[in-house]
Amino acid sequence: MKTRFNKNEMKTRLFRITLTSLFILILLPSCNKEDYGDSGNLTPAKPIVLTRSQESFVKTNTTFALDLFKKAAGSASGTSMVISPLSVTFALGMVDNGADGDTRKEINDVLGYGEDGIDELNDYCKTILKESSKVDPSTTIKIANAAVVNSRHGNLKKDFSSAIESYYDALVCNKDFSKEDIQKYVNDW
């Protein structure tokens, strides 16, 4: 059976074949072993050892992360953005240390930690913070946390400061926002 094409169909078909061929010719040379190093010399990933409670939190926190992405993508149509669910988890974890009552319950519920409490959340965040850089020695991970507070409104409580310094490796400082360029201070930090 012979198939006949008119001139326009033939030109379109030829254009598609040419375009596909060019794409393949451009793509193939750019994918070579040297770009990724010698895969035979890769160091196996070192898994992070978690408690059962922390393993459960990974699952619920993944749900939190996906929901966060969906809401951010829905509210940012037509714009570009970068969002880190891990950073949001750490920020809410630090705030949770200064919260109590309904506020603490809501933060724990949003993060999916529920009734396990702030101690479990702190331990999880500290484990992730300390161990994530050891998973793959060829990868560098830098996470920075800080609480910069306007000293005109008082100082942070010692328990709160100690918790976020210890569990989140956070800088804690009081600054007079009326006398210092806080934006420059934070950006330089």
Side-chain angles (χ1 to χ4, degrees):
M1 184 169 152
K2 200 170 186 182
T3 305
R4 292 185 177 235
F5 297 101
N6 66 34
K7 283 187 179 184
N8 286 338
E9 288 174 334
M10 193 63 153
K11 285 180 183 178
T12 302
R13 190 175 174 129
L14 185 58
F15 176 74
R16 286 182 183 163
I17 291 170
T18 304
L19 189 60
T20 303
S21 299
L22 283 173
F23 179 71
I24 290 171
L25 289 173
I26 292 169
L27 182 65
L28 286 178
S30 67
C31 297
N32 59 46
K33 192 173 185 178
E34 290 79 33
D35 289 344
Y36 301 103
D38 182 8
S39 60
N41 291 330
L42 292 178
T43 304
K46 178 185 171 221
I48 298 174
V49 178
L50 301 172
T51 65
R52 283 197 175 154
S53 178
Q54 291 171 341
E55 286 175 1
S56 173
F57 182 57
V58 168
K59 292 174 187 167
T60 57
N61 197 245
T62 299
T63 300
F64 162 74
L66 294 173
D67 288 344
L68 181 63
F69 278 130
K70 285 179 196 171
K71 288 179 181 169
S75 67
S77 75
T79 62
S80 297
M81 76 164 48
V82 175
I83 189 167
S84 166
L86 181 62
S87 294
V88 174
T89 297
F90 283 0
L92 287 173
M94 289 190 295
V95 169
D96 200 5
N97 279 279
D100 62 6
D102 288 342
T103 304
R104 176 170 278 171
K105 182 184 179 322
E106 287 178 22
I107 292 171
N108 289 340
D109 288 347
V110 163
L111 292 175
Y113 226 65
E115 298 299 319
D116 285 333
I118 189 64
D119 293 332
E120 290 291 330
L121 176 59
N122 284 341
D123 287 339
Y124 169 77
C125 289
K126 184 173 185 172
T127 299
I128 296 300
L129 185 68
K130 298 295 181 200
E131 299 299 318
S132 59
S133 63
K134 299 174 187 174
V135 171
D136 181 358
S138 67
T139 303
T140 302
I141 298 174
K142 293 183 179 183
I143 299 173
N145 298 307
V148 181
V149 179
N150 191 343
S151 60
R152 293 176 55 194
H153 299 292
N155 294 324
L156 295 172
K157 292 182 179 179
K158 185 66 180 153
D159 290 347
F160 174 78
S161 297
S162 296
I164 66 172
E165 286 172 336
S166 172
Y167 291 106
Y168 299 87
D169 199 21
L171 165 73
V172 178
C173 63
N174 295 291
K175 298 284 183 183
D176 186 343
F177 287 21
S178 67
K179 294 181 180 177
E180 297 185 51
D181 183 356
I182 297 305
Q183 182 177 1
K184 181 176 179 351
Y185 175 80
V186 170
N187 288 337
D188 289 347
W189 166 76

